[in-house]
Protein backbone atom coordinates (compact mmCIF):
# COMPACT_ATOMS: atom_id res chain seq x y z
CA UNK A 1 0.00 0.00 0.00
CA UNK A 2 0.97 3.64 -0.36
CA UNK A 3 1.89 5.55 2.78
CA UNK A 4 3.80 8.63 3.87
CA UNK A 5 6.53 8.00 6.39
CA UNK A 6 8.78 10.18 8.56
CA UNK A 7 12.24 8.90 7.70
CA UNK A 8 14.04 11.23 10.13
CA UNK A 9 13.07 14.17 12.31
CA UNK A 10 13.08 17.48 10.48
CA UNK A 11 11.12 19.80 8.22
CA UNK A 12 8.21 18.93 5.91
CA UNK A 13 10.64 17.39 3.42
CA UNK A 14 11.16 14.37 5.71
CA UNK A 15 7.62 13.21 4.91
CA UNK A 16 8.41 10.67 2.19
CA UNK A 17 5.88 8.69 0.08
CA UNK A 18 6.70 4.97 0.36
CA UNK A 19 5.29 1.55 -0.51
CA UNK A 20 4.86 -0.71 2.51
CA UNK A 21 3.22 -4.05 3.20
CA UNK A 22 -0.54 -4.08 3.69
CA UNK A 23 -1.54 -4.40 7.35
CA UNK A 24 -3.75 -7.29 8.49
CA UNK A 25 -6.59 -7.08 10.99
CA UNK A 26 -5.54 -8.99 14.10
CA UNK A 27 -7.79 -10.16 16.93
CA UNK A 28 -10.02 -7.32 18.06
CA UNK A 29 -9.01 -5.15 15.11
CA UNK A 30 -10.71 -3.67 12.05
CA UNK A 31 -8.95 -3.14 8.73
CA UNK A 32 -9.97 0.21 7.24
CA UNK A 33 -9.38 1.43 3.70
CA UNK A 34 -8.70 5.08 4.38
CA UNK A 35 -10.28 7.78 2.24
CA UNK A 36 -9.29 10.85 4.28
CA UNK A 37 -6.91 11.54 7.17
CA UNK A 38 -6.85 14.58 9.43
CA UNK A 39 -3.65 16.58 9.84
CA UNK A 40 -3.02 17.79 13.39
CA UNK A 41 -0.51 19.90 15.27
CA UNK A 42 0.65 16.70 17.01
CA UNK A 43 1.66 15.34 13.59
CA UNK A 44 3.87 18.37 13.03
CA UNK A 45 5.45 18.02 16.46
CA UNK A 46 5.98 14.29 15.84
CA UNK A 47 7.71 15.07 12.53
CA UNK A 48 10.08 17.55 14.20
CA UNK A 49 10.86 15.26 17.14
CA UNK A 50 9.27 17.62 19.67
CA UNK A 51 6.23 15.52 20.58
CA UNK A 52 6.93 13.74 23.84
CA UNK A 53 4.67 10.78 23.05
CA UNK A 54 6.03 9.99 19.60
CA UNK A 55 8.22 7.06 18.68
CA UNK A 56 11.42 7.16 16.66
CA UNK A 57 11.65 7.22 12.84
CA UNK A 58 10.88 5.62 10.57
CA UNK A 59 7.19 5.96 11.45
CA UNK A 60 3.88 6.67 9.76
CA UNK A 61 2.13 9.65 11.38
CA UNK A 62 -1.58 10.40 11.60
CA UNK A 63 -4.00 10.23 14.52
CA UNK A 64 -7.39 10.21 12.78
CA UNK A 65 -9.05 9.07 9.58
CA UNK A 66 -12.25 8.03 7.87
CA UNK A 67 -12.82 5.21 5.43
CA UNK A 68 -14.52 1.90 4.73
CA UNK A 69 -14.09 -1.35 6.62
CA UNK A 70 -12.63 -4.06 4.38
CA UNK A 71 -12.05 -6.81 6.97
CA UNK A 72 -12.52 -7.55 10.65
CA UNK A 73 -10.35 -9.62 12.94
CA UNK A 74 -11.24 -12.43 15.29
CA UNK A 75 -13.63 -11.47 18.07
CA UNK A 76 -14.86 -8.24 16.46
CA UNK A 77 -18.57 -7.44 16.71
CA UNK A 78 -20.66 -4.38 16.00
CA UNK A 79 -18.66 -3.44 12.89
CA UNK A 80 -18.83 -5.18 9.51
CA UNK A 81 -17.07 -5.03 6.17
CA UNK A 82 -18.53 -2.35 3.92
CA UNK A 83 -19.45 0.08 6.70
CA UNK A 84 -18.27 3.70 6.63
CA UNK A 85 -16.31 4.55 9.77
CA UNK A 86 -14.06 7.09 11.43
CA UNK A 87 -11.05 5.86 13.35
CA UNK A 88 -8.41 7.07 15.73
CA UNK A 89 -5.21 5.55 17.03
CA UNK A 90 -2.26 6.03 19.40
CA UNK A 91 0.52 8.35 18.30
CA UNK A 92 3.34 5.83 18.77
CA UNK A 93 2.02 3.21 16.33
CA UNK A 94 1.66 3.16 12.52
CA UNK A 95 -0.74 5.96 11.74
CA UNK A 96 -3.26 7.05 9.15
CA UNK A 97 -1.09 8.68 6.49
CA UNK A 98 -1.67 5.50 4.50
CA UNK A 99 -4.18 3.69 2.31
CA UNK A 100 -4.94 1.02 4.93
CA UNK A 101 -4.80 0.79 8.72
CA UNK A 102 -5.57 -1.92 11.27
CA UNK A 103 -7.36 -0.27 14.19
CA UNK A 104 -8.63 -1.60 17.55
CA UNK A 105 -12.41 -1.93 17.22
CA UNK A 106 -12.94 0.25 20.32
CA UNK A 107 -11.41 3.16 18.38
CA UNK A 108 -13.67 2.77 15.33
CA UNK A 109 -17.06 4.51 15.08
CA UNK A 110 -19.64 3.80 12.38
CA UNK A 111 -20.66 6.95 10.50
CA UNK A 112 -24.28 8.04 10.10
CA UNK A 113 -25.62 9.05 6.71
CA UNK A 114 -25.06 12.71 5.98
CA UNK A 115 -21.45 12.90 7.19
CA UNK A 116 -18.86 12.94 4.40
CA UNK A 117 -15.47 11.29 4.65
CA UNK A 118 -13.54 14.57 4.68
CA UNK A 119 -15.71 15.90 7.51
CA UNK A 120 -15.46 12.62 9.41
CA UNK A 121 -11.66 12.61 9.22
CA UNK A 122 -11.68 15.89 11.17
CA UNK A 123 -13.79 14.63 14.08
CA UNK A 124 -11.81 12.08 16.16
CA UNK A 125 -9.09 14.46 17.39
CA UNK A 126 -10.01 18.15 17.20
CA UNK A 127 -13.76 17.81 17.63
CA UNK A 128 -13.60 15.08 20.25
CA UNK A 129 -10.98 17.08 22.18
CA UNK A 130 -13.12 20.22 22.16
CA UNK A 131 -16.22 18.22 23.12
CA UNK A 132 -14.56 16.47 26.05
CA UNK A 133 -12.84 19.62 27.32
CA UNK A 134 -16.03 21.70 27.33
CA UNK A 135 -18.85 19.21 27.91
CA UNK A 136 -17.20 16.55 30.08
CA UNK A 137 -14.31 18.30 31.86
CA UNK A 138 -15.40 21.94 32.25
CA UNK A 139 -19.12 21.05 32.14
CA UNK A 140 -20.09 24.30 30.45
CA UNK A 141 -23.59 25.40 31.44
CA UNK A 142 -26.25 27.64 29.93
CA UNK A 143 -25.48 31.31 30.48
CA UNK A 144 -21.77 30.89 31.20
CA UNK A 145 -19.02 32.77 29.37
CA UNK A 146 -16.34 30.75 27.60
CA UNK A 147 -13.05 32.13 26.26
CA UNK A 148 -11.62 30.08 23.36
CA UNK A 149 -7.99 30.66 22.43
CA UNK A 150 -6.94 30.11 18.79
CA UNK A 151 -10.62 30.04 17.85
CA UNK A 152 -9.92 29.60 14.14
CA UNK A 153 -7.91 26.40 14.62
CA UNK A 154 -9.34 22.91 14.27
CA UNK A 155 -9.99 22.56 18.00
CA UNK A 156 -10.94 26.21 18.38
CA UNK A 157 -13.52 26.28 15.59
CA UNK A 158 -15.11 23.15 17.06
CA UNK A 159 -15.04 24.61 20.57
CA UNK A 160 -16.83 27.78 19.51
CA UNK A 161 -19.74 25.78 18.11
CA UNK A 162 -19.86 23.29 21.00
CA UNK A 163 -19.93 26.07 23.60
CA UNK A 164 -22.64 27.99 21.74
CA UNK A 165 -24.67 24.79 21.42
CA UNK A 166 -24.38 24.36 25.20
CA UNK A 167 -25.97 27.78 25.68
CA UNK A 168 -22.79 29.66 26.55
CA UNK A 169 -21.57 33.07 25.47
CA UNK A 170 -18.28 32.72 23.57
CA UNK A 171 -15.38 35.17 23.47
CA UNK A 172 -13.20 33.99 20.58
CA UNK A 173 -9.51 34.92 20.53
CA UNK A 174 -7.86 34.91 17.11
CA UNK A 175 -4.64 36.18 15.55
CA UNK A 176 -6.22 38.38 12.86
CA UNK A 177 -9.30 40.43 12.10
CA UNK A 178 -10.26 38.04 9.29
CA UNK A 179 -10.17 35.07 11.65
CA UNK A 180 -12.17 37.04 14.22
CA UNK A 181 -14.88 37.71 11.64
CA UNK A 182 -14.93 34.03 10.74
CA UNK A 183 -15.28 33.02 14.40
CA UNK A 184 -18.32 35.31 14.56
CA UNK A 185 -19.83 33.39 11.65
CA UNK A 186 -19.39 30.20 13.69
CA UNK A 187 -21.44 31.73 16.50
CA UNK A 188 -18.99 33.57 18.76
CA UNK A 189 -20.80 36.50 20.35
CA UNK A 190 -17.58 38.45 20.98
CA UNK A 191 -14.16 38.31 19.35
CA UNK A 192 -10.72 39.66 20.17
CA UNK A 193 -7.98 40.09 17.58
CA UNK A 194 -4.85 39.35 19.61
CA UNK A 195 -2.66 41.13 17.06
CA UNK A 196 -4.47 44.32 18.15
CA UNK A 197 -4.47 43.32 21.84
CA UNK A 198 -1.11 41.62 22.51
CA UNK A 199 -0.01 40.26 25.85
CA UNK A 200 -1.69 41.78 28.87
CA UNK A 201 -4.00 43.83 26.64
CA UNK A 202 -5.99 40.69 25.74
CA UNK A 203 -6.54 40.01 29.45
CA UNK A 204 -7.83 43.55 29.92
CA UNK A 205 -10.16 43.15 26.95
CA UNK A 206 -11.62 39.89 28.33
CA UNK A 207 -12.20 41.60 31.66
CA UNK A 208 -13.83 44.56 29.91
CA UNK A 209 -16.18 42.27 27.99
CA UNK A 210 -17.15 40.50 31.23
CA UNK A 211 -17.66 43.69 33.25
CA UNK A 212 -14.53 42.92 35.27
CA UNK A 213 -15.76 39.49 36.37
CA UNK A 214 -13.70 37.27 34.08
CA UNK A 215 -14.88 34.19 32.18
CA UNK A 216 -16.44 31.07 33.65
CA UNK A 217 -14.35 28.80 31.43
CA UNK A 218 -11.13 29.37 29.47
CA UNK A 219 -10.06 26.79 26.87
CA UNK A 220 -6.31 27.20 26.41
CA UNK A 221 -5.13 25.51 23.21
CA UNK A 222 -1.82 27.39 23.05
CA UNK A 223 0.13 27.05 26.31
CA UNK A 224 3.38 28.81 27.13
CA UNK A 225 2.93 32.45 28.12
CA UNK A 226 -0.73 32.27 27.07
CA UNK A 227 -1.47 29.91 29.98
CA UNK A 228 -0.57 32.65 32.46
CA UNK A 229 -2.95 34.98 30.60
CA UNK A 230 -5.69 32.34 30.79
CA UNK A 231 -5.43 32.33 34.58
CA UNK A 232 -5.98 36.09 34.62
CA UNK A 233 -8.89 35.87 32.18
CA UNK A 234 -10.92 33.45 34.29
CA UNK A 235 -13.24 34.64 37.06
CA UNK A 236 -14.24 33.43 40.50
CA UNK A 237 -14.70 29.64 40.74
CA UNK A 238 -13.95 29.41 37.04
CA UNK A 239 -12.30 26.55 35.16
CA UNK A 240 -9.22 26.67 32.94
CA UNK A 241 -8.76 23.68 30.64
CA UNK A 242 -5.32 23.47 29.07
CA UNK A 243 -4.65 20.88 26.38
CA UNK A 244 -1.47 21.81 24.54
CA UNK A 245 1.78 23.72 24.46
CA UNK A 246 2.08 24.54 20.78
CA UNK A 247 4.07 27.59 21.83
CA UNK A 248 6.82 25.14 22.91
CA UNK A 249 7.85 27.44 25.74
CA UNK A 250 7.64 27.31 29.54
CA UNK A 251 4.65 28.74 31.38
CA UNK A 252 5.60 31.10 34.20
CA UNK A 253 2.65 31.23 36.57
CA UNK A 254 1.90 33.43 39.57
CA UNK A 255 -0.23 31.46 42.00
CA UNK A 256 -1.90 34.73 43.01
CA UNK A 257 -3.58 34.69 39.60
CA UNK A 258 -5.74 31.69 40.46
CA UNK A 259 -5.90 30.48 44.07
CA UNK A 260 -7.61 33.58 45.52
CA UNK A 261 -10.36 33.10 42.91
CA UNK A 262 -10.87 29.41 43.74
CA UNK A 263 -10.07 28.56 40.14
CA UNK A 264 -9.84 24.93 39.00
CA UNK A 265 -7.14 24.03 36.46
CA UNK A 266 -7.70 20.95 34.31
CA UNK A 267 -5.03 19.35 32.15
CA UNK A 268 -6.24 17.34 29.15
CA UNK A 269 -4.60 15.00 26.65
CA UNK A 270 -6.72 12.79 24.44
CA UNK A 271 -4.23 9.99 23.76
CA UNK A 272 -3.48 9.62 27.46
CA UNK A 273 -7.20 9.45 28.21
CA UNK A 274 -7.60 6.67 25.65
CA UNK A 275 -4.73 4.73 27.19
CA UNK A 276 -6.42 4.93 30.59
CA UNK A 277 -9.58 3.21 29.43
CA UNK A 278 -11.69 5.93 27.82
CA UNK A 279 -13.93 4.57 25.05
CA UNK A 280 -14.71 7.35 22.53
CA UNK A 281 -17.66 5.67 20.79
CA UNK A 282 -20.57 7.34 22.59
CA UNK A 283 -19.12 10.84 22.35
CA UNK A 284 -18.11 10.47 18.69
CA UNK A 285 -21.56 9.10 17.88
CA UNK A 286 -23.12 12.18 19.46
CA UNK A 287 -20.82 14.57 17.60
CA UNK A 288 -21.39 12.81 14.26
CA UNK A 289 -25.16 12.83 14.79
CA UNK A 290 -25.12 16.59 15.32
CA UNK A 291 -22.98 17.07 12.22
CA UNK A 292 -25.44 14.99 10.19
CA UNK A 293 -28.34 17.05 11.55
CA UNK A 294 -26.61 20.31 10.65
CA UNK A 295 -26.14 21.51 14.24
CA UNK A 296 -22.36 21.52 13.82
CA UNK A 297 -20.43 22.60 10.74
CA UNK A 298 -17.00 21.01 10.23
CA UNK A 299 -14.76 23.59 8.55
CA UNK A 300 -12.13 22.00 6.32
CA UNK A 301 -9.97 24.73 4.86
CA UNK A 302 -7.77 22.64 2.57
CA UNK A 303 -7.31 19.11 1.32
CA UNK A 304 -4.11 17.63 -0.13
CA UNK A 305 -3.39 14.29 -1.82
CA UNK A 306 -1.55 11.81 0.40
CA UNK A 307 1.68 12.24 -1.56
CA UNK A 308 1.62 15.97 -0.78
CA UNK A 309 1.58 15.57 2.99
CA UNK A 310 4.58 17.89 3.19
CA UNK A 311 2.49 20.71 1.69
CA UNK A 312 -0.28 20.00 4.20
CA UNK A 313 2.23 20.38 7.04
CA UNK A 314 3.52 23.62 5.56
CA UNK A 315 -0.03 24.95 5.44
CA UNK A 316 -0.63 24.06 9.09
CA UNK A 317 2.69 25.48 10.24
CA UNK A 318 1.91 28.87 8.67
CA UNK A 319 -1.04 29.04 11.11
CA UNK A 320 -3.12 30.73 8.46
CA UNK A 321 -5.70 27.95 8.32
CA UNK A 322 -9.29 28.38 9.41
CA UNK A 323 -10.50 24.94 10.46
CA UNK A 324 -8.91 21.64 9.50
CA UNK A 325 -6.37 20.47 6.94
CA UNK A 326 -7.07 16.97 5.57
CA UNK A 327 -5.23 14.44 3.37
CA UNK A 328 -7.19 12.46 0.77
CA UNK A 329 -6.31 9.13 -0.83
CA UNK A 330 -7.40 9.86 -4.41
Amino acid sequence: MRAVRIEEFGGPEVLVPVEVADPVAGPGEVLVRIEAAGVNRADVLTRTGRYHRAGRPPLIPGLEAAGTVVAVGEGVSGVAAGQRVMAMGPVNEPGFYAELAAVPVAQVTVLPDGVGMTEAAALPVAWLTAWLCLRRVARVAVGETVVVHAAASGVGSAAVQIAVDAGARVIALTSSAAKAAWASELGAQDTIDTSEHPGEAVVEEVLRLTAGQGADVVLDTVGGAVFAQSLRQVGYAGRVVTLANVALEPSTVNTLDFYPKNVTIHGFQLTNRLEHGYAPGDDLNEIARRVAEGTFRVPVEATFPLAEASRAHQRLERRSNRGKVVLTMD
Side-chain angles (χ1 to χ4, degrees):
M1 69 172 182
R2 293 183 304 149
V4 165
R5 192 164 61 192
I6 298 170
E7 299 294 341
E8 60 182 339
F9 292 137
E13 71 280 356
V14 304
L15 293 166
V16 179
V18 294
E19 288 284 340
V20 297
D22 291 357
V24 176
E29 291 183 333
V30 173
L31 184 64
V32 179
R33 182 168 300 281
I34 298 168
E35 296 185 33
V39 179
N40 291 281
R41 187 71 53 184
D43 300 344
V44 173
L45 295 177
T46 295
R47 189 204 75 220
T48 60
R50 293 180 292 179
Y51 195 61
H52 65 287
R53 299 186 61 81
R56 304 292 301 180
L59 57 88
I60 297 171
L63 296 172
E64 61 184 348
T68 302
V69 175
V70 293
V72 299
E74 182 182 352
V76 169
S77 61
V79 181
Q83 288 186 304
R84 301 166 63 250
V85 297
M86 54 183 158
M88 59 193 307
V91 72
N92 57 349
E93 294 184 12
F96 294 116
Y97 287 19
E99 291 180 310
L100 293 164
V103 189
V105 67
Q107 292 167 216
V108 171
T109 304
V110 177
L111 286 172
D113 293 337
V115 180
M117 290 295 189
T118 303
E119 291 177 306
L123 298 180
V125 173
W127 275 82
L128 183 59
T129 292
W131 177 268
L132 291 173
C133 285
L134 294 179
R135 299 304 296 264
R136 307 294 185 222
V137 177
R139 298 186 181 275
V140 172
V142 174
E144 290 192 313
T145 297
V146 178
V147 169
V148 178
H149 287 271
S153 66
V155 174
S157 58
V160 168
Q161 297 180 66
I162 290 166
V164 169
D165 181 64
R169 169 198 180 192
V170 172
I171 301 175
L173 276 54
T174 65
S175 60
S176 71
K179 288 183 177 181
W182 186 69
S184 293
E185 294 176 10
L186 295 177
Q189 291 88 342
D190 296 284
T191 60
I192 301 174
D193 174 3
T194 58
S195 68
E196 296 292 330
H197 297 84
E200 195 62 26
V202 73
V203 178
E204 295 171 358
E205 187 66 5
V206 169
L207 294 176
R208 184 188 71 80
L209 290 170
T210 57
Q213 298 302 302
D216 298 289
V217 174
V218 177
L219 182 64
D220 187 343
T221 63
V222 180
V226 168
F227 178 62
Q229 296 171 16
S230 296
L231 296 177
R232 295 193 290 277
Q233 292 163 1
V234 73
Y236 178 77
R239 293 89 77 198
V240 175
V241 185
T242 179
L243 59 96
N245 186 7
V246 297
L248 297 176
E249 62 185 24
S251 301
T252 302
V253 174
N254 184 344
T255 56
L256 286 170
D257 288 335
F258 64 92
Y259 83 79
K261 297 186 290 187
N262 288 282
V263 167
T264 303
I265 300 171
H266 298 275
F268 180 88
Q269 187 181 63
L270 181 57
T271 50
N272 204 327
R273 198 177 182 98
L274 288 166
E275 289 170 3
H276 282 79
Y278 167 65
D282 289 345
D283 288 308
L284 281 173
N285 276 322
E286 178 69 7
I287 295 167
R289 180 181 66 80
R290 294 184 184 219
V291 172
E293 293 173 349
T295 302
F296 294 149
R297 175 164 65 94
V298 183
V300 175
E301 191 211 47
T303 61
F304 293 88
L306 176 63
E308 296 182 16
S310 60
R311 289 184 57 213
H313 276 224
Q314 290 169 359
R315 184 67 162 264
L316 199 64
E317 287 182 289
R318 287 199 297 268
R319 300 191 180 184
S320 60
N321 60 293
R322 292 182 287 184
K324 290 284 291 186
V325 175
V326 173
L327 298 175
T328 58
M329 306 300 155
D330 52 9

